[in-house]
Amino acid sequence: MARYNAKTVERKWQEAWETQQCFQVDTESEREKFYVLEMFPYPSGRIHMGHVRNYTLGDVVARYKKARGFNVLHPMGWDAFGMPAENAAIENKVHPAQWTKNNIATMKSGLKSMGLSYDWSRELATCDPSYFRHEQKMFLDFFAKGLAYRRESWVNWDPVDNTVLANEQVIDGCGWRSGAVIEKRKLPQWMLRITAYSDDLLDSLKRLDRWPDRVRLMQENWIGRSEGLRMWFDLADSRDDQGGGRDDRLEVFTTRHDTIFGATFCALAANHPLAEEIAADDPELAAFIAECNSMGTSEEAIERAEKKGYKTPLVAKHPFIEGYNLPVFVANFVLMEYGAGAIFGCPGHDQRDLDFARKYDLDVIPVIAPASIAASLGSTSDFTIADEAYLGDGVAINSQFLDGMTIADAKQEIAERMTASGNGEVTLTYRLRDWGISRQRYWGCPIPIIYCDECGAKPVPDDQLPVTLPEDVVLDTPGNPLEHHPTWKHVSCPQCGGKAVRETDTFDTFIESSWYFIRFACPHADGPIDYDAARYWLPVDQYIGGIEHAVLHLLYSRFFTRAMRDCGYVDFDEPFSGLLTQGMVCHQTYRDEAGNWLFPQQVREAEDGSFIHAESGASVTVGRSEKMSKSRKNVVDPEAIIDAFGADTARLFMLSDSPPERDLEWSETGIEGAWRYLNRLWRMVAEPALTLPPVDAAQPDSFSDAATASRRAIHRTISDTTGDLDRFHFNRAVARVRELSNDLTSLDNGSDDEAWVLREGLETLVRLIGPMTPHIAEELWHLLGHQTLLVNSPWPEADPAWLGDDTVTFALQVNGKLRGTVELAKDTDKQAAENAALADPAMIRAIDGKTIRRVIVVPNRIVNVVI
């Protein structure tokens, strides 16, 4: 028999599936639907191993659900706008549209080589006007409903890429792509009112019971609903010789008003109006504010940064301690976007405040102590804070009228007193801020707004949509190319007909990815949505993608779906019923003697077990395993693997190495092991150990012991593998299939019943592995004599009669201690089980002639003798 030829077989069945349109689907009200979707890719060029893993997982789910009888929607498209294409176009002197089109063609070819079961008739690209014209129309509907608006706001400005960046795109104070130091600017921005749905987005997380807990927690923390107290502090200016106050007050928001007696300073955000007022006459403060504005504002950046402040001449009067004034600083860890842009600092019970207090030699007053410690303190000064703030539960100390109260009671007492005096107000606040969607770049969807000096901001009329990008654009000059275009932006006002200009900002590309999954339900509809198609297909039953999208993309999509609902486009609010976040694909890293990164193919293992350069033989340093990345060169080309071993081998390795939610460690031995197994499976079917009966041969009347054992193994494997795939335990499913392969080798005596069972077993192997390695499975299905396509065949069903065992193992105990086991017939009666236990040699030795007081029999499990 010829060896398994992966290239020929995979090409053959990919063509067959495409010719017969096996994966094209339509709305069928009489069939239950299942919508499986992997997060669509940015067309960066060639596919990488992360793509292979992500899309293999989704394909297994799609093929499995198809075999289970569902009407499966499994589409693919391209998240095609964005800065990378524009930057690449500048670097390669090609138009972004052409660069994107070429990359899509390359990546589509790579994905097709994997045999993925996509309905390519639904393919879309977000840079296509046929897609984004609907997006522009939806934006105008949001605008009309008050969900989109324009205002000035502080933004992260990349002076090299000349665009606004989201907080998450600022790394160590620098732009994630340019590396330039980020500036803070106040610019007019288009915003989407995501905060209008804060409570709904938060409360509905409880219903997403098929989402990973950590993703729900990340979104909960990002929304950040907290009940607290707005407090107003009277202010004084230390420069006033008379010690006079000011007419204004300092507003802060706090969730820890129980710690007010531990307050030793107040701090303002760099862009707080008071900070700006003082900086107008204080060049040093102005410089400090500029320094703060060059720092990233993400949680991670603030945590890592050294806590710095600038002491202002202002002091805040403590609301409960007469004559006690708190110095007011401008601090780099206070955000204008949270609360009122000001805090009171309690160093004893907040780590940032503590770090700040230690740096500037401020008092640290503990005001909460564990109840057990507080009760035993000789004096409250005995409880001190060293390098870590106390964040636990406890009771109030050093707090006058609060002493001895719980945290909850202390909060209530302070809230009541502050409210009664007119200096406080209980309120809810959120960490979530409205979504700034303006980007100052060319390669994005134009925002469909026209500005007229007389009429203001006006929507582009529907009959003028889509607003498309000009093709004759100059990209290699600083600034927004659309802003500098000589003609494109100049238009007539749609209301008065006078001179007007277009909005030259383009949408944040998260807009495109916030509704593409809905467009897949009706990609050729004249309007944005075919309501009936969306109602049938949506929500997505299983969404698959990386954990790095846990907050922004997933949260924005949840908001966008609600906004579309409220504008009449859809009748549901949650876009993704189930979510699977797969881990990364990792590989060891290598450096040469000069510290340069090396590709894995540049390295080989020497005879002594060390690693050397494949060409020069020079010593190579092996680093830790990390996520595959071009920068560290620890990448493996999927197309090279597919060319050498076939797509099924790559797919099998991706599934078998580790659970999908964990990182996968790439290894050459692992890929070779997957290849060897597929060849073994090929030989088992192509050269069976027994002559197989014809397809659909009648079942024998009886089975030998070996055939019986194999039949039980077959049906247990069907049952267990089905459960594994339902729970996304793909690695376990692979292990069970391989175990069944081993079990079938016991069928070797040539009897008719064993030959019949061998056929059943081989067909089961092929059907179970079909979603995982579809090409070889299809070929083996036909080698077994079937004329239909395996991809259109139903999933095997386990026969309950063959799932049980005829015998069970009883544990034999004396006084509850295990002394041995015995195999007995299932459902053996109690007396027979007792007799068997008492006759067992191990039990006879353990009883050793002692008087038996009682025998306890637990059916099918235990015989316990009490002596």
Side-chain angles (χ1 to χ4, degrees), residues 737-782:
V737 169
R738 297 183 73 153
E739 185 178 349
L740 179 59
S741 303
N742 295 334
D743 290 337
L744 295 179
T745 60
S746 63
L747 300 172
D748 58 5
N749 74 2
S751 62
D752 289 345
D753 64 320
E754 290 198 10
W756 189 93
V757 172
L758 180 59
R759 167 174 278 281
E760 181 186 33
L762 293 175
E763 289 189 351
T764 298
L765 279 176
V766 169
R767 295 167 76 185
L768 292 180
I769 208 167
M772 307 177 221
T773 58
H775 307 90
I776 192 171
E778 198 78 70
E779 182 73 7
L780 295 178
W781 186 245
H782 282 255

Side-chain angles (χ1 to χ4, degrees), residues 503-800:
E503 170 63 75
T504 56
D505 287 351
T506 52
F507 282 141
D508 177 4
T509 55
F510 275 114
I511 294 283
E512 283 82 62
S513 60
S514 291
W515 73 285
Y516 78 105
F517 45 88
I518 300 177
R519 183 64 181 174
F520 272 141
C522 46
H524 311 299
D526 291 335
I529 301 298
D530 181 308
Y531 192 84
D532 291 336
R535 168 174 279 188
Y536 175 75
W537 286 116
L538 275 299
V540 176
D541 296 283
Q542 190 58 57
Y543 200 34
I544 302 171
I547 190 69
E548 66 271 19
H549 301 293
V551 174
L552 291 185
H553 163 57
L554 291 171
L555 188 62
Y556 290 158
S557 297
R558 295 181 65 218
F559 155 70
F560 218 84
T561 303
R562 285 163 167 77
M564 291 177 67
R565 176 201 62 194
D566 290 349
C567 289
Y569 287 104
V570 296
D571 65 352
F572 59 94
D573 51 11
E574 288 296 345
F576 313 117
S577 298
L579 175 67
L580 172 64
T581 54
Q582 90 281 357
M584 299 178 293
V585 182
C586 303
H587 197 296
Q588 281 185 317
T589 51
Y590 306 99
R591 289 180 185 263
D592 63 18
E593 293 174 324
N596 300 309
W597 298 106
L598 297 173
F599 289 106
Q601 60 267 30
Q602 294 177 283
V603 179
R604 66 180 177 86
E605 188 172 358
E607 293 181 1
D608 62 358
S610 64
F611 288 84
I612 60 175
H613 196 286
E615 294 181 2
S616 68
S619 177
V620 168
T621 300
V622 180
R624 66 180 184 180
S625 178
E626 298 184 36
K627 175 187 176 182
M628 287 188 180
S629 69
K630 293 178 182 178
S631 62
R632 284 171 170 74
K633 296 189 176 180
N634 63 332
V635 294
V636 175
D637 183 4
E639 295 185 24
I641 295 298
I642 292 172
D643 186 62
F645 297 101
D648 282 346
T649 300
R651 291 169 61 118
L652 185 63
F653 173 70
M654 288 291 175
L655 295 167
S656 60
D657 186 69
S658 62
E661 66 275 9
R662 296 183 188 170
D663 291 348
L664 181 148
E665 183 67 32
W666 179 269
S667 71
E668 283 67 27
T669 55
I671 199 76
E672 289 167 0
W675 169 246
R676 284 195 300 272
Y677 174 72
L678 291 183
N679 277 276
R680 179 190 174 204
L681 183 60
W682 170 267
R683 290 191 298 272
M684 288 179 68
V685 175
E687 300 172 342
L690 304 175
T691 301
L692 302 181
V695 174
D696 297 327
Q699 178 178 317
D701 294 330
S702 62
F703 295 96
S704 66
D705 290 346
T708 296
S710 292
R711 283 215 82 193
R712 293 197 185 283
I714 290 167
H715 288 272
R716 277 198 306 269
T717 303
I718 294 172
S719 177
D720 292 344
T721 303
T722 300
D724 289 334
L725 294 182
D726 282 333
R727 294 185 293 273
F728 309 131
H729 296 164
F730 303 116
N731 58 318
R732 293 185 188 177
V734 171
R736 295 190 200 280
V737 169
R738 297 183 73 153
E739 185 178 349
L740 179 59
S741 303
N742 295 334
D743 290 337
L744 295 179
T745 60
S746 63
L747 300 172
D748 58 5
N749 74 2
S751 62
D752 289 345
D753 64 320
E754 290 198 10
W756 189 93
V757 172
L758 180 59
R759 167 174 278 281
E760 181 186 33
L762 293 175
E763 289 189 351
T764 298
L765 279 176
V766 169
R767 295 167 76 185
L768 292 180
I769 208 167
M772 307 177 221
T773 58
H775 307 90
I776 192 171
E778 198 78 70
E779 182 73 7
L780 295 178
W781 186 245
H782 282 255
L783 282 179
L784 285 166
H786 294 275
Q787 301 303 309
T788 58
L789 286 174
L790 176 62
V791 74
N792 292 329
S793 301
W795 190 250
E797 296 290 339
D799 186 341

Side-chain angles (χ1 to χ4, degrees), residues 228 256 299 309 330 333 373 381 462 523 559 586 736 867:
R256 290 301 308 269
E299 285 288 326
V330 176
F333 61 93
I373 295 177
S381 62
D462 288 355
F559 155 70
C586 303
R736 295 190 200 280
I867 60 176

Side-chain angles (χ1 to χ4, degrees), residues 366 373 376-384:
I373 295 177
S376 63
L377 290 177
S379 71
T380 53
S381 62
D382 291 340
F383 184 65
T384 58

Side-chain angles (χ1 to χ4, degrees), residues 25-61:
V25 292
D26 295 307
T27 300
E28 297 180 25
S29 57
E30 68 279 4
R31 290 180 67 196
E32 186 175 357
K33 66 90 179 180
F34 192 90
Y35 184 177
V36 57
L37 180 66
E38 306 93 69
M39 294 179 185
F40 66 166
Y42 175 75
S44 57
R46 298 162 68 88
I47 61 172
H48 54 66
M49 281 299 176
H51 292 134
V52 173
R53 190 181 195 198
N54 189 25
Y55 302 138
T56 295
L57 296 175
D59 197 55
V60 171
V61 174

Side-chain angles (χ1 to χ4, degrees), residues 199 202 223-230 253-258 338 407-408 411-412 415 425-431:
D199 287 325
L202 182 62
I223 296 168
R225 180 170 65 194
S226 53
E227 181 176 307
L229 186 69
R230 294 173 65 199
F253 172 83
T254 180
T255 60
R256 290 301 308 269
H257 33 294
D258 55 301
Y338 181 76
I407 290 176
K411 285 184 177 181
Q412 182 174 348
E425 179 181 288
V426 176
T427 187
L428 281 176
T429 192
Y430 299 84
R431 182 178 183 274

